[in-house]
Amino acid sequence: MPQAVKDIPVLNVEKIREDFPVLHQQVNGHPLVYLDNGASSQMPVQVAERLDHYHRYEHANVHRGIHTLSQKATDAYEAARPKVAAFINAAEEHEIIYTTGTTDSINLVANSFGLTHFSEGDEVILSEMEHHANIVPWQMVAEKTGAVIKVIPVTDSGELDLEAYKKLLTPRTKMVAVVHVSNALGTVNPVKEITDLAHEAGSVVLIDGAQAVPHQKVDVQEIGADFYAFSAHKMFGPTGFGILYGRKSLLDGMPPYRGGGDMIDKVTFEETTYNVPPFRFEAGTPPIAASIGLSEAIDYIGRVGMDQIEKYEAKLVEYAVEKLRKIDGLRFIGEAEERASVISFVFDHIHASDIGTILDKKGIAVRTGHHCAQPILRRFGVPATTRASFAFYNREDDVDRLVEGIEYAKSFFE
Ligand code: PMP
């Protein structure tokens, strides 16, 4: 079994970086600077070794096996549930549904909850800064049910216009689905206030937490959210796995989303009855290893300490904003008061993909494009941005390299 890392009392970035072998490589002849954490974060060796150990010595299918190996795999697989529940302070572990990621989690709610609760003229409120994963599933369900989509506008600084939001809420509002931290702007939304207002209007609330959980303490009970979705691969865990938190009282009344093994109670050709949540929503052989990997990632985050991560990243992002602000011609897209580890920017006469390509030649990985959030880029009148997104293993040195790289890229266009 892999050894647990020693407790890390304060965030020691050099020590942490030892756990991420991927960061210690040359890319195009330069030491890698990885600033694409918003797309997917890197995995510490503890998680990789745990996955390896599972595949080498522990693998068997879960739930249905009477034999010892299957029972051990089931125990390891199920162990993520209480761990995730504690991580986001869910009231109980059966409120944690395993999915394949944020996108899958939102599709589950849209189809299971939406298809049964929305009817002609009902309203779904989204925001202008949503990822496509929190737009398209609602559009698909709205098309089938006759529900109407309404959109909270975003201010010039990249914040939700809460006054406009209050006016959008009506007795017909059935769902408010809003992102916690914007992957395109870095804005941290006031999700508790949004949720309270929605509840006052009698609506249910889903929060897309994909970009929040790796960077800040999330407490679903304090927020009051009815559903909260996130992905393992953005929080130092494996791809192909994610979580939907759902309030038990709502889950109990929701029909299954997919049919197959594990989600049933009894099957006959005349009638099938269904398992209780969360199993009702988990059809087929699940990503067993990925669940075990997420457990390990949560342990890792716990040892580093979410408080330390928050403080460290806040300082790092502040440093980056100050440095980037000094670059002539650089314009931020999104300058919210409350922001997390994403910085998006443009130049009027240089396309983002040119910046990204030249940075890559210097070993600097950033993301360019619409970040699967086309409506918000349209709102700001740009087709694409360059996005640097940080994690707790990034350093000020990475920011300095980014700034140097941008200056170098600019020199081609002067
Ligand atoms: N929502 C947000 C805010 C995201 O940043 C992402 C990933 N970029 C998603 C949803 C979709 O996540 P996944 O692809 O892991 O399902």
Side-chain angles (χ1 to χ4, degrees):
M1 279 291 294
Q3 285 299 299
V5 269
K6 291 175 212 77
D7 284 350
I8 304 166
V10 282
L11 198 151
N12 178 342
V13 69
E14 293 308 327
K15 179 105 192 68
I16 283 168
R17 287 173 70 86
E18 288 171 15
D19 294 332
F20 292 85
V22 71
L23 300 176
H24 306 281
Q25 63 179 297
Q26 302 274 313
V27 170
N28 297 322
H30 300 273
L32 171 66
V33 170
Y34 188 76
L35 295 175
D36 195 19
N37 297 285
S40 205
S41 56
Q42 298 297 347
M43 185 183 280
V45 71
Q46 290 80 2
V47 176
E49 285 177 3
R50 183 67 190 90
L51 291 170
D52 181 60
H53 185 85
Y54 169 77
H55 285 300
R56 279 174 196 263
Y57 306 112
E58 295 178 345
H59 174 67
N61 210 336
V62 292
H63 291 158
R64 290 174 291 270
I66 192 73
H67 61 84
T68 304
L69 202 57
S70 170
Q71 286 174 7
K72 278 172 101 171
T74 303
D75 288 347
Y77 165 77
E78 281 296 331
R81 240 184 268 276
K83 202 156 273 183
V84 171
F87 183 66
I88 58 169
N89 195 31
E92 57 166 293
E93 65 178 90
H94 285 169
E95 296 184 319
I96 304 301
I97 300 168
Y98 294 159
T99 68
T100 64
T102 309
T103 305
D104 190 34
S105 299
I106 298 172
N107 274 278
L108 192 166
V109 179
N111 283 278
S112 173
F113 182 87
L115 281 182
T116 44
H117 286 80
F118 301 169
S119 47
E120 184 88 31
D122 281 342
E123 294 160 359
V124 176
I125 298 184
L126 311 176
S127 90
E128 212 174 4
M129 65 169 84
E130 297 311 311
H131 188 282
H132 299 164
N134 200 26
I135 299 175
V136 184
W138 302 113
Q139 287 175 325
M140 291 163 76
V141 169
E143 215 167 276
K144 288 184 186 145
T145 57
V148 178
I149 303 229
K150 295 161 96 182
V151 183
I152 310 169
V154 166
T155 65
D156 289 344
S157 60
E159 286 160 337
L160 291 182
D161 181 340
L162 290 183
E163 289 312 308
Y165 167 54
K166 287 177 198 162
K167 291 192 191 116
L168 291 178
L169 287 162
T170 76
R172 297 299 309 260
T173 310
K174 287 285 161 67
M175 172 64 71
V176 174
V178 167
V179 72
H180 194 162
V181 175
S182 159
N183 69 309
L185 309 175
T187 309
V188 182
N189 287 319
V191 285
K192 180 170 167 43
E193 194 180 343
I194 289 167
T195 301
D196 287 348
L197 286 163
H199 284 167
E200 275 168 35
S203 176
V204 162
V205 178
L206 176 142
I207 304 292
D208 170 357
Q211 299 291 342
V213 285
H215 304 292
Q216 64 180 81
K217 180 96 196 94
V218 168
D219 182 332
V220 289
Q221 292 191 74
E222 195 199 317
I223 296 168
D226 301 294
F227 299 103
Y228 194 96
F230 55 99
S231 303
H233 71 98
K234 294 183 197 285
M235 51 183 294
F236 322 105
T239 52
F241 195 65
I243 298 295
L244 172 68
Y245 158 80
R247 188 189 294 284
K248 185 175 182 309
S249 54
L250 288 173
L251 293 180
D252 282 342
M254 282 163 55
Y257 165 45
R258 294 197 178 100
D262 259 12
M263 48 71 77
I264 55 95
D265 169 35
K266 208 166 173 193
V267 179
T268 66
F269 280 109
E270 288 70 39
E271 190 198 23
T272 292
T273 52
Y274 302 120
N275 207 338
V276 292
F279 311 107
R280 185 187 298 164
F281 304 103
E282 297 174 354
T285 296
I288 305 164
S291 154
I292 294 168
L294 177 61
S295 277
E296 199 65 33
I298 290 175
D299 285 348
Y300 189 88
I301 293 170
R303 285 192 296 270
V304 177
M306 198 45 111
D307 289 348
Q308 323 287 346
I309 291 173
E310 261 187 74
K311 263 190 255 162
Y312 177 82
E313 289 185 5
K315 262 183 73 186
L316 186 63
V317 170
E318 197 181 308
Y319 179 80
V321 168
E322 285 322 306
K323 286 275 172 162
L324 289 167
R325 200 187 292 287
K326 295 197 179 109
I327 297 179
D328 209 26
L330 182 146
R331 182 157 60 87
F332 291 116
I333 300 295
E335 287 195 90
E337 195 77 30
E338 293 287 330
R339 64 187 302 169
S341 289
V342 168
I343 303 179
S344 247
F345 55 87
V346 292
F347 289 91
D348 283 342
H349 304 296
I350 316 174
H351 197 277
S353 63
D354 290 331
I355 299 269
T357 305
I358 297 169
L359 288 176
D360 181 56
K361 295 275 174 272
K362 293 279 188 185
I364 302 160
V366 294
R367 184 142 297 243
T368 60
H370 55 61
H371 317 298
C372 295
Q374 287 180 2
I376 194 61
L377 292 208
R378 211 168 287 125
R379 151 72 179 85
F380 281 95
V382 293
T385 74
T386 303
R387 181 185 76 180
S389 53
F390 298 84
F392 57 76
Y393 42 65
N394 290 120
R395 312 173 281 194
E396 291 189 355
D397 181 55
D398 295 337
V399 174
D400 297 342
R401 289 268 312 280
L402 172 68
V403 170
E404 267 171 46
I406 294 170
E407 292 288 9
Y408 175 71
K410 272 182 66 192
S411 69
F412 286 87
F413 298 89
E414 280 162 3

